[in-house]
Amino acid sequence: MGAYHCLPLFIWTCVFHTVDSIPLQEKVSGDFPNKRIVGLTKDDGKMLHRTKRGWMWNQFFLLEEYTGTDTQYVGKLHTDQDKGDGNLKYILTGDGAGSLFVIDENTGDIHAAKKLDREEKSLYILRAKAIDRKTGRQVEPESEFIIKIHDINDNEPKFTKELYTASVPEMSGVGTSVIQVTATDADDANYGNSAKVVYSILQGQPYFSVDPESGIIKTALPDMSRENREQYQVVIQAKDMGGQMGGLSGTTTVNITLTDVNNNPPRFPQSTYQFNSPESVPLGTHLGRIKANDPDLGENAEIEYSIAEGDGADVFDVITDKDTQEGIITVKQNLDFEKKMLYTLRVDASNTHPDPRFLHLGPFKDTAVVKISVEDIDEPPVFSKISYLIEVDEDVKEGSIIGQVTAYDPDAVSNLIKYSVDRHTDMDRIFSIHSENGSIFTLKTLDRESSPWHNITITATEINNSKQSSQVPVFIRILDINDHAPEFAMYYETFVCENAKPGQLIQTVSVMDKDDPPRGHKFFFEPVPEFPLNPNFTIVDNKDNTAGIMTRKDGYSRNKMSTYLLPILIFDNDYPIQSSTGTLTIRVCACDSEGNMQSCSAEALVLTAGLSTGALIAILLCVIILLVLVVLFAALKRQRKKEPLIISKDDVRDNIVTYNDEGGGEEDTQAFDIGTLRNPEAREDSKLRRDVMPETIFQIRRTVPLWENIDVQEFIHRRLKENDSDPSAPPYDSLATYAYEGNDSIADSLSSLESLTADGNQDYDYLSDWGPRFKKLADMYGGDDSDRD
């Protein structure tokens, strides 16, 4: 880099100021001949020119991480117009100019002022120009050049992860790939071996190995068992310089787990199991648990239990508990100590997900013997059937036996049994049972139409031990007996037109029967024997449990006969035959030409003949108008009754509202208008009472005005005297009785409403004798002096 080379620099110029970057090989190849190169641009085909310049410098390459004491020399800039007299000044601009790279403005020498790192920036683009110190003008156009940083091995390989986690199935063959680790080197891979990485294993042998070039970790031992060892830690090293001495290295850790495969069959820890069971246990009872051990995990350790064919296979069952992988022995059929006391079972435990690759290791199941002993207990009676069905006719007599139930004691002792009816199932006490033989008999008559079924429960109890009992349902079906006569299915409103013709159908009747014969209903219709031939109507049996009523004569008259009664005899075909007589009421009506009924009463016929349609409409309108007037009058009268009782604001009664509200005393003037009491002349003397409606109109009584120089107390006494003397004046609402003590009180009422004028000076001294509760009242009414005060 210290040698000088003459390097003319050519700059491509065009209207777009496009700069052609010349490869470094061309720049350092020597002087170009002074000629013009002609070329075309991509856009518009304009000619491009380049001119020869006299720039000269060394090749600009620089090593990174320079550790010398002096600044690192980069190169030298020189132009042919530099005569060495110091008239020219070299200026450097671009990447790192002035900070990383400095230039001697007199000589053009370039130095690196700081240590450079290629991994941070591998090349720098700078621009140089030479300026005449005197004129300040450029002697050469500005030229661009590149400084490349050469790499050194200053970076160790680094793995993409500090810790890797991988897994591989146990029992895998040698060379099975586990995981690939990757390390990168920041050095230049195109320059030497600084970035060439080689992998090696530092820890984890002899179980695993690593490919030196790819970094793939593989198994190195065959048939590694998870049950023996599950976790492995492998340390991998990555070294640059192709693994040679002096290369830099980095390490990483790989945690490898062996995953489980189904390579172990289940095994029972013991060959025989013993359980005991009472003979009375219900079906599905768990008698015990057995478990086979499987060192595998997850679904590889799932076990299914089964009972091999043989003794007790139809009596017991085994189910698998999926959570604990245990086999649960259960009862499938009822046990009987008297029949068999000991059962011996063979139970198999097998894997549910065997792996075909390891079937050569042996059968993946195991067998154990389970012995079950049946214990004898006192059992309740057992009925011969789980339920009974009894059919009985509804006309059976009271006390008749309708059926029988039987039960026995399954124990060897064979205790005696008594029977009874559970009265909760026979609240009406219709049935009973003989306690010794189980015969069921009736206590009341039966009726299928009201209750076609009776469901009762029979209890069988041991006589020696009442706690041992059992029950059985008995279903009693009541069979039908033809004991109800047929009758009309509904009430028929039948009419016949006055202009009816003979043979015209006027009504179809149907009947119903409460009985339920097994062959179905069949009804017949006939005239009653007393009137075998009716001159007006004919009964026609339709043979489908209905009958038609036909007219027999030409025309009917309402004036002669407005209603006909037609008796019909109805009977069934069951045994014994039941019959009834239904009477059909037929009215004679006026009809239009199409047979639609218009009127059926004789009065309507007379009215229609006397008045026309217009007259009837006029009468109807008058009646409606009268009704409207009556309603309006009643509404107005009711509105008057709802007017307020008191209108005048100066009425004394408006201010004396309630006496059960304690006011603020004499100074409280907000409760009522005291001015009205002070000025009685303001009242309306002639106003009638509006709170009630008097029965008779009384002459308005005028009183002599005595209000001059009178106080409020005197005014109230005068008013009280006037109302006491007037028997037609009702009590005021504001002066309601508030101390009414009832009819049984020994004291008279204290209300002034019923007081007479003669009782004005009544003696209330006896109130003091009533005790402390009436002390306040005694102080108020104790004497005239206190009242005046």
Side-chain angles (χ1 to χ4, degrees):
M1 293 174 57
Y4 285 81
H5 296 275
C6 180
L7 183 61
L9 182 65
F10 296 90
I11 304 297
W12 293 86
T13 60
C14 67
V15 296
F16 298 101
H17 301 286
T18 303
V19 178
D20 178 45
S21 60
I22 304 172
L24 185 60
Q25 293 78 3
E26 294 182 10
K27 292 183 179 180
V28 299
S29 61
D31 296 337
F32 290 94
N34 191 3
K35 62 180 180 179
R36 177 174 296 175
I37 305 299
V38 179
L40 295 178
T41 64
K42 295 180 181 180
D43 297 331
D44 52 9
K46 293 184 179 181
M47 289 187 177
L48 301 177
H49 304 277
R50 66 180 182 179
T51 58
K52 178 183 177 182
R53 295 179 184 170
W55 285 100
M56 297 175 61
W57 56 70
N58 291 345
Q59 296 183 10
F60 291 167
F61 294 95
L62 190 64
L63 288 176
E64 65 171 339
E65 302 294 343
Y66 176 70
T67 58
T69 57
D70 298 333
T71 58
Q72 189 177 6
Y73 181 73
V74 178
K76 183 181 181 67
L77 296 180
H78 185 72
T79 180
D80 293 342
Q81 299 185 18
D82 188 358
K83 306 302 181 180
D85 52 3
N87 290 331
L88 296 181
K89 178 182 178 180
Y90 294 96
I91 298 175
L92 186 65
T93 59
D95 295 341
S99 59
L100 296 179
F101 303 101
V102 294
I103 187 170
D104 189 331
E105 62 181 14
N106 295 320
T107 63
D109 292 328
I110 303 174
H111 292 81
K114 296 180 180 180
K115 183 171 61 175
L116 302 177
D117 188 357
R118 190 201 65 83
E119 285 71 33
E120 293 182 1
K121 193 174 181 67
S122 60
L123 59 88
Y124 296 86
I125 301 175
L126 295 98
R127 291 175 295 279
K129 58 184 176 180
I131 300 176
D132 192 327
R133 293 178 181 272
K134 295 180 180 180
T135 62
R137 300 179 58 187
Q138 295 184 11
V139 298
E140 290 288 350
E142 185 180 60
S143 180
E144 183 181 276
F145 62 95
I146 297 174
I147 298 178
K148 288 189 175 182
I149 308 302
H150 275 183
D151 181 51
I152 64 173
N153 189 19
D154 58 344
N155 292 280
E156 72 278 2
K158 293 184 179 180
F159 286 92
T160 56
K161 295 181 180 179
E162 295 183 359
L163 180 65
Y164 289 85
T165 302
S167 63
V168 63
E170 63 173 335
M171 309 298 291
S172 297
V174 177
T176 302
S177 297
V178 180
I179 192 175
Q180 183 178 15
V181 296
T182 304
T184 58
D185 196 319
D187 294 328
D188 190 358
N190 297 322
Y191 183 76
N193 294 327
S194 298
K196 186 176 181 181
V197 179
V198 175
Y199 301 94
S200 61
I201 185 169
L202 301 182
Q203 177 182 328
Q205 294 175 331
Y207 307 102
F208 299 94
S209 63
V210 64
D211 187 276
E213 295 183 358
S214 63
I216 298 176
I217 300 175
K218 302 178 181 179
T219 58
L221 285 181
D223 301 333
M224 288 189 292
S225 176
R226 183 199 63 82
E227 290 74 24
N228 296 332
R229 183 177 178 182
E230 185 176 4
Q231 298 288 338
Y232 294 87
Q233 189 175 74
V234 179
V235 179
I236 303 297
Q237 181 190 66
K239 190 174 184 180
D240 59 10
M241 298 298 293
Q244 299 177 4
M245 294 293 293
L248 303 178
S249 63
T251 59
T252 188
T253 301
V254 182
N255 291 331
I256 301 176
T257 302
L258 294 184
T259 58
D260 185 62
V261 297
N262 192 4
N263 61 328
N264 294 283
R267 290 289 181 262
F268 284 104
Q270 60 191 70
S271 59
T272 304
Y273 295 85
Q274 180 72 39
F275 299 105
N276 297 326
S277 173
E279 63 175 338
S280 62
V281 294
L283 301 181
T285 302
H286 295 179
L287 300 182
R289 292 172 176 258
I290 59 176
K291 184 176 182 181
N293 299 323
D294 191 331
D296 294 324
L297 299 176
E299 67 175 14
N300 296 324
E302 292 182 359
I303 301 175
E304 183 177 5
Y305 297 89
S306 60
I307 296 178
E309 294 295 333
D311 183 21
D314 55 344
V315 180
F316 302 95
D317 195 8
V318 59
I319 58 177
T320 304
D321 189 335
K322 298 299 183 181
D323 297 330
T324 62
Q325 296 300 314
E326 293 178 321
I328 305 174
I329 307 298
T330 62
V331 179
K332 187 165 62 173
Q333 290 186 6
N334 292 322
L335 304 179
D336 191 348
F337 174 82
E338 288 72 23
K339 292 182 179 180
K340 188 161 186 162
M341 297 180 292
L342 179 64
Y343 293 88
T344 301
L345 309 177
R346 295 181 69 254
V347 180
D348 294 336
S350 58
N351 282 133
T352 57
H353 301 87
D355 194 332
R357 297 176 298 172
F358 307 106
L359 293 179
H360 64 278
L361 299 179
F364 278 75
K365 71 175 183 177
D366 196 13
T367 304
V369 177
V370 179
K371 295 183 178 181
I372 302 175
S373 299
V374 181
E375 300 174 350
D376 185 28
I377 63 170
D378 189 8
E379 300 176 83
V382 177
F383 284 94
S384 59
K385 298 180 181 180
I386 60 174
S387 65
Y388 291 85
L389 174 62
I390 299 176
E391 295 182 346
V392 58
D393 293 334
E394 64 176 328
D395 61 346
V396 67
K397 297 180 180 180
E398 296 181 12
S400 301
I401 296 176
I402 61 175
Q404 185 180 19
V405 297
T406 57
Y408 65 94
D409 185 6
D411 296 324
V413 181
S414 185
N415 295 318
L416 295 179
I417 298 174
K418 63 178 181 179
Y419 301 91
S420 61
V421 178
D422 186 356
R423 289 305 171 188
H424 293 91
T425 61
D426 185 23
M427 301 296 292
D428 297 331
R429 294 183 175 270
I430 301 175
F431 303 96
S432 185
I433 188 171
H434 289 288
S435 60
E436 296 179 0
N437 58 15
S439 298
I440 301 174
F441 58 91
T442 59
L443 296 177
K444 297 180 181 179
T445 58
L446 305 178
D447 186 7
R448 187 203 66 85
E449 286 70 31
S450 60
S451 296
W453 283 89
H454 295 273
N455 302 326
I456 63 175
T457 300
I458 303 298
T459 303
T461 307
E462 292 184 7
I463 295 179
N464 297 333
N465 187 2
S466 59
K467 295 182 179 180
Q468 297 296 333
S469 63
S470 58
Q471 294 182 330
V472 67
V474 178
F475 307 106
I476 303 174
R477 180 184 179 184
I478 310 302
L479 301 180
D480 183 51
I481 297 298
N482 192 26
D483 56 350
H484 289 84
E487 56 187 12
F488 282 143
M490 57 179 293
Y491 175 75
Y492 293 97
E493 293 184 357
T494 308
F495 71 93
V496 61
C497 296
E498 288 184 308
N499 55 357
K501 301 298 182 181
Q504 183 176 342
L505 177 65
I506 61 173
Q507 183 69 61
T508 300
V509 296
S510 60
V511 297
M512 58 172 291
D513 194 337
K514 295 181 180 180
D515 294 322
D516 187 16
R519 297 187 300 273
H521 289 289
K522 182 63 177 178
F523 304 111
F524 301 94
F525 303 87
E526 293 180 358
V528 294
E530 295 80 0
F531 304 98
L533 185 61
N534 192 300
N536 300 309
F537 303 98
T538 303
I539 303 172
V540 178
D541 192 343
N542 296 328
K543 307 299 182 182
D544 59 353
N545 295 335
T546 64
I549 309 302
M550 312 290 290
T551 57
R552 195 164 187 172
K553 64 179 183 178
D554 187 6
Y556 297 83
S557 175
R558 282 184 291 174
N559 296 328
K560 295 181 180 181
M561 181 69 70
S562 62
T563 303
Y564 293 91
L565 298 179
L566 179 63
I568 303 175
L569 178 63
I570 310 168
F571 57 93
D572 54 25
N573 67 336
D574 205 356
Y575 180 82
I577 296 177
Q578 299 290 339
S579 62
S580 66
T581 300
T583 301
L584 193 66
T585 301
I586 304 174
R587 295 185 300 166
V588 180
C589 301
C591 304
D592 56 13
S593 59
E594 297 180 357
N596 298 321
M597 180 181 66
Q598 291 183 340
S599 176
C600 293
S601 61
E603 291 79 3
L605 179 62
V606 175
L607 182 62
T608 305
L611 296 175
S612 63
T613 303
L616 291 175
I617 294 176
I619 293 173
L620 181 60
L621 289 177
C622 291
V623 172
I624 293 175
I625 292 173
L626 289 176
L627 289 176
V628 171
L629 291 176
V630 170
V631 171
L632 291 177
F633 179 76
L636 291 175
K637 189 174 182 181
R638 182 179 300 177
Q639 185 67 25
R640 290 181 179 179
K641 289 183 180 181
K642 292 183 179 180
E643 291 182 1
L645 296 177
I646 298 175
I647 298 178
S648 175
K649 296 182 179 179
D650 297 332
D651 199 321
V652 177
R653 293 168 296 173
D654 185 39
N655 298 302
I656 306 177
V657 179
T658 56
Y659 274 94
N660 58 354
D661 185 7
E662 296 183 6
E666 295 180 356
E667 296 180 359
D668 185 5
T669 60
Q670 299 298 325
F672 58 88
D673 187 6
I674 196 66
T676 304
L677 298 177
R678 295 292 185 184
N679 185 19
E681 293 292 344
R683 68 183 181 90
E684 299 178 10
D685 295 332
S686 61
K687 184 175 292 293
L688 291 175
R689 291 286 298 273
R690 300 183 63 87
D691 51 353
V692 295
M693 176 64 70
E695 296 181 358
T696 58
I697 304 300
F698 293 90
Q699 182 68 26
I700 298 176
R701 174 170 46 84
R702 298 184 180 272
T703 59
V704 179
L706 300 175
W707 318 119
E708 294 81 3
N709 300 324
I710 192 169
D711 58 2
V712 176
Q713 181 178 1
E714 186 65 23
F715 164 73
I716 294 177
H717 282 294
R718 294 286 182 89
R719 292 288 293 169
L720 178 61
K721 182 178 179 180
E722 290 179 5
N723 286 276
D724 288 341
S725 302
D726 188 3
S728 63
Y732 291 107
D733 290 342
S734 58
L735 299 178
T737 300
Y738 60 89
Y740 179 71
E741 298 181 9
N743 296 330
D744 296 334
S745 175
I746 60 175
D748 294 333
S749 174
L750 300 180
S751 174
S752 62
L753 297 179
E754 300 178 358
S755 302
L756 297 176
T757 305
D759 296 334
N761 298 324
Q762 184 177 354
D763 185 11
Y764 296 99
D765 294 336
Y766 63 91
L767 296 177
S768 301
D769 301 330
W770 289 5
R773 292 187 178 180
F774 295 90
K775 183 177 182 304
K776 184 66 176 178
L777 196 61
D779 294 340
M780 294 175 59
Y781 294 91
D784 296 336
D785 296 338
S786 62
D787 293 341
R788 292 188 180 91
D789 293 339

